[in-house]
């Protein structure tokens, strides 16, 4: 039986755990060769082993999304192993262990580091990966935004506003190469990182959702795989909220 992602190679950053892991497992289950690109080698290798145990194809590449050298090395390793890249999910972020501070007082070096991962990381990865997509006749990029982009959430939200802007601007820069760029804006999602970061405050957040439960990583999978697939072949520059009805925009 054929699957949506047979013969496709998809890189998922931050796939060693949480939402990225759910994307990686779902893509492999639908036939993709999946690249788990993360700083966390131990957990990332564990995700690859789980995918292989389920009959899928995956490799781990230790990657720092804020580094051009690391992104270039990833593309070289993936090209050597699988021949090229068709899909990229820019999911990695500093999140679970992020510092709490204000824009007006956050340590400047920390702020620069944070933005280099959470905002610029998607651009660093895109710049490294798009030539491989172009060589294969096109591709699809999905950026992980957040409803934090529409709510007060300090520099975390500011980085996600940047991710949304990158999504819209890059869609125009690479559209002529048949490369699509979209984003998903998840609402509060039950991952270990959220449990560390939000604790009991997550329970209050749920009261404000139209659908009265936290999202699960698996709730994000349908939108991500749709945007990566040929079913979304005329969809680009869009930011899709998958948030239980947390936000609405007019
Ligand atoms: P997580 O903290 O569990 O996973 C993030 C992954 O990114 C980790 O495996 C970490 O090692 C990796 N990472 C961090 N810095 C990196 C770097 N420089 N290079 C490569 N990998 C790096 O987070 P979670 O909850 O799975 O969230 C994933 C994404 O979804 C993030 O972009 C987050 O901002 C976004 N998001 C999460 C929500 C939630 O409630 N969990 C809600 C909205 C958006």
């Amino acid at each position: 039986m054929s699957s949506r992602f047979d013969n496709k190679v998809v890189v998922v950053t931050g796939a060693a755990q949480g939402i990225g892991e759910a994307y990686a497992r779902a893509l492999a289950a639908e036939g993709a060769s999946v690249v788990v690109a993360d700083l966390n080698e131990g957990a990332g290798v564990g995700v690859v082993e789980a995918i292989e145990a389920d009959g899928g194809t995956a490799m781990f590449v230790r990657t720092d999304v804020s580094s051009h050298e690391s992104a270039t090395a990833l593309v070289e390793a993936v090209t050597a192993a699988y021949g090229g890249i068709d899909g990229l999910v820019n999911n990695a972020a500093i999140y679970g262990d992020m510092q709490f501070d204000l824009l007006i007082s956050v340590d400047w070096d920390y702020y620069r580091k944070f933005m280099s991962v959470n905002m610029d990381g998607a651009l660093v990865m895109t710049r490294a990966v798009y030539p491989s997509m172009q060589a294969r006749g096109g591709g699809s990029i999905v950026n992980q935004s957040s409803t934090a982009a529409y709510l007060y959430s300090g520099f975390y939200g500011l980085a996600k506003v940047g991710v949304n802007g990158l999504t819209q601007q890059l869609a125009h820069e690479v559209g002529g190469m048949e490369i699509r760029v979209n984003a998903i804006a998840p609402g509060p999602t039950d991952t270990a990182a959220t449990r560390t970061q939000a604790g009991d405050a997550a329970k209050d957040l749920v009261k404000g959702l139209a659908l009265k439960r936290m999202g699960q990583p698996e709730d994000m999978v349908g939108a991500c795989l749709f945007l990566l697939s040929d079913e979304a072949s005329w969809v680009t520059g869009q930011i899709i909220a998958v948030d239980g009805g947390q936000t609405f925009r007019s």
Side-chain angles (χ1 to χ4, degrees):
M1 204 180 78
S2 69
S3 298
R4 271 192 295 182
F5 296 98
D6 282 347
N7 304 314
K8 298 289 186 191
V9 179
V10 183
V11 175
V12 185
T13 71
Q17 61 183 44
I19 300 172
E21 176 180 354
Y23 291 157
R25 285 171 173 257
L27 283 160
E30 292 209 34
S33 297
V34 174
V35 182
V36 174
D38 205 294
L39 280 176
N40 185 339
E41 182 153 7
V45 168
V47 172
V48 167
E49 287 171 353
I51 287 171
E52 288 174 342
D54 287 341
T57 302
M59 67 188 283
F60 175 79
V61 182
R62 189 175 187 282
T63 310
D64 178 355
V65 298
S66 68
S67 158
H68 292 286
E69 294 72 25
S70 183
T72 301
L74 168 113
V75 172
E76 284 168 4
V78 176
T79 304
Y82 296 145
I85 299 172
D86 304 287
L88 169 64
V89 184
N90 285 313
N91 165 79
I94 299 169
Y95 170 54
D97 58 356
M98 66 178 270
Q99 284 180 18
F100 284 92
D101 210 328
L102 305 177
L103 279 162
I104 52 175
S105 54
V106 61
D107 176 79
W108 193 250
D109 288 341
Y110 181 79
Y111 170 80
R112 295 289 294 269
K113 172 68 190 165
F114 187 92
M115 297 305 273
S116 77
V117 174
N118 287 34
M119 185 178 77
D120 296 336
L123 180 56
V124 168
M125 289 298 303
T126 298
R127 286 167 62 119
V129 166
Y130 90 84
S132 180
M133 292 181 170
Q134 185 181 21
R136 280 156 88 94
S140 176
I141 299 171
V142 176
N143 295 326
Q144 188 82 325
S145 180
S146 170
T147 54
Y150 313 125
L151 304 165
Y152 171 63
S153 48
F155 51 86
Y156 179 77
L158 177 59
K160 296 304 191 184
V161 170
V163 167
N164 290 352
L166 271 175
T167 301
Q168 294 165 328
Q169 303 298 332
L170 282 171
H172 282 266
E173 293 196 8
V174 298
M177 306 169 200
E178 294 290 327
I179 301 171
R180 298 179 295 100
V181 189
N182 293 287
I184 297 173
T189 305
D190 185 24
T191 63
T194 296
R195 289 191 286 276
T196 309
Q197 205 254 110
D200 284 346
K203 294 198 184 95
D204 293 331
L205 274 174
V206 165
K207 291 182 196 153
L209 306 181
L211 301 172
K212 306 291 179 197
R213 66 170 176 85
M214 292 278 281
Q216 297 298 320
E218 292 70 25
D219 288 316
M220 308 302 143
V221 162
C224 182
L225 270 59
F226 165 71
L227 291 171
L228 288 170
S229 77
D230 291 342
E231 292 161 43
S233 62
W234 208 46
V235 181
T236 198
Q238 302 306 304
I239 300 141
I240 297 181
V242 184
D243 67 353
Q246 185 186 24
T247 57
F248 46 67
R249 291 166 291 150
S250 53

